[in-house]
Amino acid sequence: MEDLVILHEDNHIIVVLKPQNVPTCEDSSKDMDLLTMVKEYIRTTYNKTGNVYVGLVHRLDRPTGGVMVFAKSSKAAARLSEQMKNGDFEKKYYAVVVGKPREEKATLTHYVKKNAVNNMVYVCAMTEAGAKMAELDYTLLDTKDDLSLVDVRLHTGRSHQIRVQMNAIGNPVYGDMRYGGEKAKKGYLALWSYYLSFTHPVSKERMVFRVQPPKDNNPWSKFDTEKSVTIIKPEN
């Protein structure tokens, strides 16, 4: 609870910072997850009894940190989910990748398939059963010491998508031993959801949040990223 960082809260939504290596929601590890943290914050702050409704609108992989929005009502959840379907819900990521991508700007399109047994995602042929299209844009921002900072915008929301697609072009995300092997270099996964934009489900105001990755941590400390937004720590 004391680690919960709130970026924005009103009667309909709550926007928080997801720490790296914290699950978005309960998983087989049974470790404390962000969804539970948000529910407990609302329960204690507003003295609520019984079940607390918090709608899970989108997810981040456990090792990925950054900005997330949760709905505080079913109406808000439905409207935000609809935005995700029609493309009005925009997410951008910073990633530090190994090496320098061949192109400074590119759209990557692959077909991928998830193996539910080992929770791994693989690039596959378009004709393979269960294949789903994965598409993203990336822009190369800087290169230092055989590492590159890239800005990534997702067009689809496939599991492990950025990690799989960047590895597919020979530039695995730093710290991603799962997909990049030894080439990825050992350390924290350098993938961060720094930008989130959506239309408020009730007021219709355009909401934009930018959150800086942990600048003191390697390899983020090598690069100059955008300034973080002001954050609000809950008092309880």
Side-chain angles (χ1 to χ4, degrees):
M1 279 294 299
E2 63 271 14
D3 295 329
L4 184 64
V5 176
I6 300 172
L7 307 176
H8 170 85
E9 183 184 9
D10 59 40
N11 290 334
H12 310 284
I13 61 172
I14 181 169
V15 181
V16 301
L17 179 64
K18 177 189 173 298
Q20 289 185 279
N21 296 316
V22 171
T24 295
C25 54
E26 184 178 341
D27 61 16
S28 58
S29 72
K30 303 301 181 182
D31 292 339
M32 176 57 71
D33 62 274
L34 189 60
L35 179 60
T36 298
M37 290 170 66
V38 173
K39 285 183 177 181
E40 287 305 309
Y41 160 74
I42 292 174
R43 186 194 313 278
T44 57
T45 301
Y46 302 105
N47 296 315
K48 288 185 175 290
T49 58
N51 291 329
V52 174
Y53 178 86
V54 176
L56 181 62
V57 178
H58 64 118
R59 299 169 187 260
L60 291 176
D61 292 340
R62 179 172 180 147
T64 305
V67 60
M68 290 191 67
V69 59
F70 293 88
K72 293 174 69 175
S73 69
S74 57
K75 178 189 292 186
R79 290 178 177 176
L80 288 172
S81 296
E82 185 61 29
Q83 287 185 47
M84 291 192 71
K85 292 178 183 177
N86 63 29
D88 192 40
F89 194 98
E90 187 176 10
K91 294 182 289 184
K92 294 181 183 178
Y93 297 76
Y94 283 136
V96 177
V97 300
V98 178
K100 183 178 181 179
R102 186 174 60 182
E103 298 177 88
E104 291 195 0
K105 289 186 177 183
T107 297
L108 303 183
T109 304
H110 297 93
Y111 283 84
V112 298
K113 183 177 180 178
K114 186 172 184 177
N115 184 327
V117 176
N118 61 9
N119 196 33
M120 293 277 285
V121 179
Y122 302 93
V123 173
C124 64
M126 178 177 65
T127 54
E128 189 169 332
K132 295 181 178 179
M133 188 184 77
E135 187 172 82
L136 61 79
D137 295 332
Y138 77 80
T139 301
L140 175 63
L141 301 177
D142 196 6
T143 299
K144 292 181 180 178
D145 302 328
D146 194 40
L147 296 176
S148 297
L149 176 68
V150 294
D151 188 327
V152 180
R153 180 177 181 272
L154 293 177
H155 294 289
T156 54
R158 308 306 178 200
S159 182
H160 301 178
Q161 181 176 337
I162 296 173
R163 299 161 64 183
V164 171
Q165 290 196 268
M166 295 308 297
N167 186 60
I169 63 169
N171 302 108
V173 176
Y174 179 97
D176 191 7
M177 310 294 286
R178 184 170 197 165
Y179 289 103
E182 291 298 324
K183 184 178 180 181
K185 302 185 186 298
K186 199 167 184 179
Y188 281 113
L189 183 74
L191 183 58
W192 187 263
S193 176
Y194 80 92
Y195 177 96
L196 180 64
S197 177
F198 55 89
T199 300
H200 192 281
V202 176
S203 72
K204 306 306 179 185
E205 175 188 0
R206 191 65 185 175
M207 311 290 288
V208 177
F209 299 91
R210 291 182 176 88
V211 182
Q212 183 178 344
K215 290 286 288 180
D216 293 337
N217 294 351
N218 187 50
W220 299 114
S221 56
K222 296 178 182 291
F223 300 97
D224 182 18
T225 55
E226 294 183 353
K227 293 182 179 179
S228 64
V229 297
T230 300
I231 56 179
I232 306 169
K233 292 279 264 183
E235 294 180 356
N236 59 307

